[in-house]
Amino acid sequence: MTVSLWLIILVSVVEVTLLGVLLAFFLRLRRSEALLNRLQANQTQLLERLRQNAELEQELVATFAQRQEQLRLLDRRLEERADGLRRLLEQAEGISRSPQFLREVILNGHSKGRSLDQIARSTGLSVDEVELILAQAG
């Protein structure tokens, strides 16, 4: 065999090898493209989910702020109501401790047949004080 034939065979083998390498490269390139497309699709889905999560978080924050404001209003109303009830309680205590009211309670209790001990306990006075008021009224 001559050198030129060997050279042609060698060049042909190199060309076939290069063609095989080129074919393998294109197949890997195609797989890489498919993988890249899937990654881009997953990234797009992830970004969409992140956007939705951000919207939900904004809604939750807004709802939380509204609830906090409602709670502040309810707390203020409750404090106002508590203050009103305290004032009414102080007025009631003032009325129940007035001498005329105590005298009325003692006279009513006595007319209903209650004992002096019962009247003294209900008014917070001593038995002697109850007897004194009954003596003054009688």
Side-chain angles (χ1 to χ4, degrees):
M1 286 198 168
T2 66
V3 173
S4 55
L5 184 62
W6 280 107
L7 192 58
I8 291 175
I9 292 174
L10 182 65
V11 168
S12 296
V13 168
V14 169
E15 284 179 350
V16 169
T17 305
L18 283 175
L19 186 61
V21 168
L22 188 63
L23 183 62
F25 175 75
F26 280 120
L27 288 175
R28 288 184 124 197
L29 182 63
R30 185 178 287 170
R31 280 190 219 139
S32 295
E33 262 186 273
L35 180 63
L36 183 62
N37 287 338
R38 281 195 312 254
L39 287 174
Q40 285 176 338
N42 288 344
Q43 183 182 18
T44 303
Q45 290 174 352
L46 178 64
L47 289 174
E48 179 62 24
R49 287 184 193 147
L50 286 173
R51 185 190 60 76
Q52 289 174 350
N53 285 344
E55 288 176 4
L56 287 173
E57 184 179 348
Q58 288 297 327
E59 289 176 19
L60 284 173
V61 167
T63 301
F64 181 75
Q66 288 173 351
R67 298 259 189 248
Q68 287 297 98
E69 184 60 30
Q70 288 173 349
L71 285 174
R72 275 192 286 274
L73 288 172
L74 287 174
D75 187 47
R76 191 176 327 133
R77 287 182 190 165
L78 186 61
E79 286 297 323
E80 290 171 0
R81 172 92 29 96
D83 288 341
L85 289 174
R86 270 189 225 106
R87 282 189 301 260
L88 285 174
L89 186 59
E90 288 170 2
Q91 287 176 354
E93 285 177 354
I95 290 172
S96 70
R97 287 285 151 211
S98 72
Q100 187 167 357
F101 180 75
L102 287 174
R103 186 172 186 267
E104 292 288 326
V105 170
I106 291 170
L107 292 175
N108 283 339
H110 183 64
S111 67
K112 290 180 182 177
R114 291 179 135 185
S115 71
L116 294 178
D117 285 333
Q118 290 174 333
I119 296 171
R121 256 185 268 121
S122 68
T123 59
L125 300 173
S126 69
V127 175
D128 292 336
E129 291 171 321
V130 171
E131 287 176 346
L132 181 64
I133 291 173
L134 286 174
Q136 289 175 352

